[in-house]
Amino acid sequence: MALKDGQILIKEADSNQALIIKSWAKMKWSKAELMFYGPADIELLNKLSGLVRLPQPIEELRRHLNKVAEAIDRERMKEKPEPLYKYPVKLPLYQHQVRGANMALLAFGLIAPPEKEAGHE
C-alpha cells in the first residue's frame, strides 16, 4: 500500500480483500499496473483501516483527516461560534457566517484544528 499524489495505491491484495475493496466502489482496478487506486479521503482510509493495518504515513493522514472532521463538526454545533481568524471584513459577521468561515478554514487546511475543548469528548 502506498500514498502518491493524493491517491491510495494497493498492490497484492488477496482475493478476499479484493472483493471487499471492489464492493466499496471507491477504488478502481488498473490492469496495466495490477493494482487498485483511489482517492485518499477520510471514508476510504477509515474503511481500509478496518480491513488492514495501515502503513504509518497513511495512518497519520487518516488520523489527521478524522481530527479535521471532528473539529468541523464541533464548529458546526457551537451555539455561539467565535472567529478562529480575524476576518478582513468591515461589518460584524452573523453567527452562521462565522461558523461557515471557521469551517472553511478548517476544511481547506488553512488553520490547524484546535484541540478539543474542556467538557467535549
Side-chain angles (χ1 to χ4, degrees), residues 5-6 16 18 20 31-32 37 42-43 47 52 62 66 68 80-81 85 88 90 94 96 98 110 120:
D5 300 325
N16 285 337
I20 292 169
K31 286 183 183 179
Y37 65 95
I42 191 170
E43 181 183 0
K47 285 182 177 203
V52 296
R62 185 185 78 82
N66 282 316
V68 169
K80 296 189 188 240
Y85 180 81
K90 293 181 181 183
Y94 292 105
H96 72 280
V98 171
L110 298 173
H120 292 279

Side-chain angles (χ1 to χ4, degrees), residues 26-77:
K26 294 281 294 170
M27 300 187 87
K28 295 183 180 179
W29 176 253
S30 169
K31 286 183 183 179
E33 306 276 339
L34 297 176
M35 70 177 176
F36 288 100
Y37 65 95
D41 63 17
I42 191 170
E43 181 183 0
L44 181 57
L45 292 176
N46 283 335
K47 285 182 177 203
L48 285 171
S49 74
L51 184 62
V52 296
R53 185 167 179 259
L54 299 177
Q56 189 60 33
I58 297 173
E59 177 61 21
E60 287 174 9
L61 173 63
R62 185 185 78 82
R63 286 183 183 156
H64 173 73
L65 292 175
N66 282 316
K67 189 175 178 182
V68 169
E70 289 169 8
I72 290 170
D73 287 342
R74 279 195 309 274
E75 195 62 39
R76 178 181 292 119
M77 301 310 291

